[in-house]
């Protein structure tokens, strides 16, 4: 069956360290993968999109990798801050075409950055 | 510019009733999609509308329906409410093309529905 899996356990790290979140998928062939941040009671906020032909994408302190062989994406936050505490969701378009806005989301990983 | 606006923000309904939720996309955005978020199932795609036409549909029963108006505003309706319909309903909008075209998807704050 088709699945997107993210670490269900919360990730607790110290301020200043690098947080690494994992997204694994099975039985999909996505043309791209996206990462979102969601704060409690709020809607998800788009962070980064990485295409299948891109190995790595960066935006300020954020870095995403995409390995279509391993069917895995890693999301890194360097020099983490307490304000980075939130749930991070990965999402992909199951059609693979990317022409529409139908996304399948992982369950999300809750990140807590401690001072 | 104004973000995606959803109304109402919170509502409580009784089993068997029906509910209509409204979404105003960002000005210029023609694609509107709806998602249901629950603690157990996470974020699940309901449907997507583009130029008043349903372009995609998720695996939800026919009690869940939606529509889009000529001004791109969208509504979703849930009839014969069940306790399991209690959830955060999120609307998202983007420009015409899909997200792989480089068009960012913007989510609203959601409508919290409680069915009692």
């Amino acid at each position: 069956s088709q699945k997107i899996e993210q670490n269900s356990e919360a990730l607790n790290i110290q301020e200043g360290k690098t947080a690494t979140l994992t997204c694994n998928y099975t039985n999909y062939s996505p043309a791209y993968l996206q990462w979102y941040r969601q704060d409690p009671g709020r809607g998800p906020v788009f962070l980064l999109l990485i295409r299948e032909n891109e190995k790595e994408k960066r935006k300020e302190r954020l870095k995403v990798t995409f390995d279509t062989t391993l069917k895995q994406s890693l999301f890194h936050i360097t020099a983490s801050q307490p304000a980075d505490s939130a749930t991070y969701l990965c999402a992909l378009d199951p059609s693979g075409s990317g022409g529409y806005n139908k996304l399948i989301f992982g369950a999300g990983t809750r990140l807590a950055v401690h001072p | 510019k104004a973000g995606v606006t959803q109304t109402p923000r919170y509502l409580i309904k009784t089993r068997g009733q029906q509910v209509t939720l409204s979404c105003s996309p960002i000005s210029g955005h023609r694609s509107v999609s709806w998602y249901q978020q629950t603690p157990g199932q996470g974020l699940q795609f309901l449907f997507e509308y583009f130029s008043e036409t349903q372009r995609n549909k998720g695996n939800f029963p026919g009690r869940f329906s939606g529509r889009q108006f000529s001004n791109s505003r969208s509504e979703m309706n849930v009839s014969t409410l069940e306790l399991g319909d209690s959830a955060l309903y999120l609307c998202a909008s983007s420009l015409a093309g899909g997200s792989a075209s480089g068009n960012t998807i913007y989510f609203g704050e959601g409508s919290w529905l409680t069915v009692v």
Side-chain angles (χ1 to χ4, degrees):
Chain A
S1 63
Q2 296 175 314
K3 284 191 298 186
I4 302 177
E5 293 181 319
Q6 296 185 251
N7 294 345
S8 57
E9 299 293 324
L11 179 62
N12 291 283
I13 64 168
Q14 286 298 120
E15 183 175 7
K17 301 292 186 183
T18 296
T20 299
L21 286 67
T22 305
C23 176
N24 294 296
Y25 59 92
T26 54
N27 294 324
Y28 286 115
S29 297
Y32 63 93
L33 193 142
Q34 303 183 36
W35 284 88
Y36 288 79
R37 168 183 173 144
Q38 187 173 25
D39 292 286
R42 311 291 295 273
V45 175
F46 172 80
L47 295 174
L48 282 167
L49 178 150
I50 186 166
R51 302 179 193 281
E52 60 180 343
N53 60 350
E54 297 175 315
K55 295 297 183 190
E56 182 180 296
K57 199 90 170 267
R58 291 176 185 263
K59 179 183 175 183
E60 298 172 354
R61 295 184 295 111
L62 308 180
K63 184 179 86 171
V64 172
T65 63
F66 192 12
D67 189 325
T68 55
T69 301
L70 291 178
K71 294 187 182 294
Q72 180 182 79
S73 176
L74 298 178
F75 177 81
H76 307 271
I77 305 175
T78 58
S80 60
Q81 305 165 0
D84 295 326
S85 299
T87 295
Y88 291 86
L89 303 154
C90 69
L92 55 81
D93 176 351
S95 72
S97 67
Y100 308 116
N101 288 324
K102 174 182 180 178
L103 294 176
I104 305 300
F105 282 84
T109 298
R110 189 160 50 87
L111 172 67
V113 181
H114 303 283
Chain B
K1 57 183 176 182
V4 178
T5 304
Q6 292 188 244
T7 56
R9 187 83 170 93
Y10 303 93
L11 67 166
I12 300 174
K13 289 286 187 178
T14 304
R15 254 185 317 176
Q17 287 186 313
Q18 67 96 25
V19 67
T20 299
L21 307 177
S22 180
C23 172
S24 293
I26 291 172
S27 178
H29 285 192
R30 295 167 61 191
S31 168
V32 173
S33 43
W34 289 89
Y35 292 81
Q36 180 197 65
Q37 188 171 31
T38 59
Q41 299 297 320
L43 260 166
Q44 293 187 287
F45 174 80
L46 281 158
F47 25 66
E48 186 212 3
Y49 287 87
F50 177 77
S51 292
E52 302 178 66
T53 300
Q54 188 180 86
R55 200 158 67 162
N56 268 296
K57 191 176 189 303
N59 296 324
F60 278 82
R63 300 184 297 108
F64 293 80
S65 62
R67 60 178 176 168
Q68 186 180 33
F69 302 96
S70 58
N71 61 358
S72 293
R73 192 177 69 84
S74 177
E75 289 181 347
M76 68 162 284
N77 183 276
V78 187
S79 62
T80 319
L81 284 165
E82 301 176 359
L83 296 179
D85 297 332
S86 296
L88 176 64
Y89 290 89
L90 291 158
C91 170
S93 78
S94 74
L95 291 169
S99 48
S101 304
N103 297 318
T104 299
I105 298 174
Y106 296 88
F107 281 84
E109 300 290 49
S111 292
W112 287 93
L113 170 65
T114 301
V115 182
V116 298

